[in-house]
Amino acid sequence: QFPLDGGKALVAPKVRVGWLQQTAVAGSTRSVREEAASQMTLIQNARRKMEDAEKAIADGNTSDAALQRLTEATEEFQNVGGYTQDQQIYTVLTGLGFAQNEFDAS
């Protein structure tokens, strides 16, 4: 890594800034798409909460609390960009110079 030597980053209010660490991943068996997705921990955590809430309902827990957990988990998943994750990955990988046919190569 290079040390920071100055500068400014201007960010509008209510905008979330993320970064994707760019390091060589020798020996990984994951595709570049999977590597990019692996750094989207907010989305991963929100997806897990939503899936857990869905499973509870599928298993028969249709209480108001269970339905409320699903509603909140779905909103969180949407708010962190879960439904646009594929587009975000596409934008990042094409910006790094990957062709779309390389996304699933490991």
Side-chain angles (χ1 to χ4, degrees):
Q1 289 189 15
F2 297 102
L4 299 177
D5 57 9
K8 292 182 181 180
L10 303 175
V11 180
K14 297 187 179 185
V15 170
R16 184 178 29 239
V17 176
W19 64 282
L20 178 62
Q21 186 174 349
Q22 297 181 38
T23 58
V25 187
S28 175
T29 58
R30 294 192 284 195
S31 69
V32 292
R33 179 193 314 266
E34 291 167 336
E35 287 293 345
S38 74
Q39 299 301 308
M40 298 176 163
T41 56
L42 290 176
I43 293 174
Q44 291 172 357
N45 293 338
R47 177 179 285 117
R48 196 170 305 114
K49 287 179 190 175
M50 189 171 67
E51 288 170 350
D52 289 348
E54 289 170 343
K55 183 175 181 335
I57 292 170
D59 289 345
N61 182 356
T62 57
S63 67
D64 288 344
L67 296 172
Q68 183 62 32
R69 276 192 296 279
L70 178 59
T71 298
E72 291 169 1
T74 302
E75 287 174 3
E76 179 182 354
F77 184 72
Q78 179 175 347
N79 290 339
V80 298
Y83 293 114
T84 60
Q85 182 180 25
D86 289 338
Q87 182 60 44
Q88 292 175 51
I89 290 170
Y90 175 85
T91 301
V92 168
L93 294 181
T94 55
L96 292 172
F98 287 97
Q100 192 168 3
N101 65 345
E102 299 173 305
F103 286 9
D104 294 312
S106 50

